[in-house]
Amino acid sequence: HTRANAFAILGAAMQGGSRHFSYVDRLTPTLRPYDLFVAPLIAIRGEIYPFSNTKIPVLSGLGATGDYARAFGLGSQDSAGNQVGTSWQAFDLGLRERLRVGESFIVGIDVGYGDDDFAFESPVTTTAQLPSTNYEIFRGGLDGRFSRGSLSVHAGASYLAVLSTGEFGRIFPRTSVGGVAATLGIADVVAPSIEEALDVDYTRFFYNLSPVPGDAYVAGGALDQMATVSLGVAYLF
């Protein structure tokens, strides 16, 4: 099986994830930037194309996708050096249209709903306001894959319409936020129907916080950047 004709694809990966959160025009000193150099995550992903054996245009390439990732062994410190319990998990469910262009190229068009939750057990302290976020996202994007023999290169980009930011949105009630995501990777078919892949993913959320006089927390804007490097394996049914 190949990515162009597989009925289903099931994969798992080990990831290293990082996060960098920073403020623009920060006036409240307890609003703290946050940097996570690297944390380990486990991720699973699946795709299914139930109509792949039909000859009906559009329907034959229509499929459903889903993925879930969760960090483990993750902890943080506030500005006073106190340990703060930290969790990071994300999921995504979507629809994807798989279009084969020639013998070596696949184009994907996808839409979906996802949630990316980065939370601190005690986000508010006397020394720092840590940026807990729970992004509810509607996304739309394009991806492409070029294959030559057993090797393939793939890339994709998405726009993220942010429906909610969770705790952060309650602290800054007039927030407007948008997001973009990009991915780049290389894969190798190492055995019949088995593929190994190395992927780099980058997500960027950009904020306009719209403060007014009297707000408890004041900053002009913020930038939240997340990145993962994944080493994974997939089985093509």
Side-chain angles (χ1 to χ4, degrees):
H1 299 288
T2 69
R3 288 271 176 172
N5 62 20
F7 168 76
I9 303 167
L10 181 63
M14 286 295 301
Q15 298 180 331
S18 66
R19 184 192 188 200
H20 175 70
F21 189 101
S22 59
Y23 289 95
V24 178
D25 297 329
R26 180 186 60 168
L27 299 183
T28 303
T30 55
L31 291 173
R32 183 190 167 191
Y34 181 81
D35 284 289
L36 171 66
F37 176 66
V38 65
L41 299 94
I42 295 178
I44 56 174
R45 177 176 174 81
E47 304 177 33
I48 185 167
Y49 299 89
F51 311 108
S52 58
N53 291 327
T54 71
K55 302 299 183 180
I56 303 174
V58 180
L59 189 62
S60 62
L62 183 63
T65 65
D67 59 74
Y68 175 78
R70 184 179 182 89
F72 58 94
L74 178 58
S76 304
Q77 290 184 339
D78 65 17
S79 56
N82 301 312
Q83 291 294 322
V84 180
T86 309
S87 63
W88 185 13
Q89 61 182 345
F91 77 86
D92 182 271
L93 299 172
L95 294 175
R96 181 171 185 264
E97 180 66 30
R98 179 176 61 183
L99 303 171
R100 186 167 183 169
V101 182
E103 294 298 319
S104 302
F105 197 62
I106 304 171
V107 174
I109 305 170
D110 61 271
V111 295
Y113 169 81
D115 184 285
D116 194 316
D117 183 23
F118 199 109
F120 302 94
E121 286 183 359
S122 303
V124 180
T125 71
T126 58
T127 56
Q129 169 67 47
L130 295 172
S132 281
T133 54
N134 185 359
Y135 295 109
E136 292 185 47
I137 300 162
F138 181 79
R139 61 169 179 80
L142 295 171
D143 63 84
R145 179 181 294 264
F146 177 78
S147 301
R148 179 67 68 184
S150 65
L151 292 175
S152 62
V153 177
H154 53 274
S158 300
Y159 176 76
L160 310 177
V162 181
L163 308 177
S164 173
T165 59
E167 178 68 26
F168 195 84
R170 288 187 285 274
I171 296 171
F172 295 97
R174 288 170 296 280
T175 292
S176 60
V177 56
V180 292
T183 184
L184 179 65
I186 185 170
D188 185 20
V189 178
V190 295
S193 299
I194 298 177
E195 179 185 84
E196 290 182 343
L198 177 66
D199 295 277
V200 178
D201 295 276
Y202 173 73
T203 304
R204 182 185 183 98
F205 296 100
F206 37 89
Y207 287 84
N208 182 351
L209 300 180
S210 302
V212 298
D215 283 351
Y217 300 99
V218 178
L223 184 63
D224 195 359
Q225 302 175 83
M226 302 177 187
T228 59
V229 177
S230 306
L231 182 61
V233 61
Y235 189 86
L236 284 59
F237 292 88

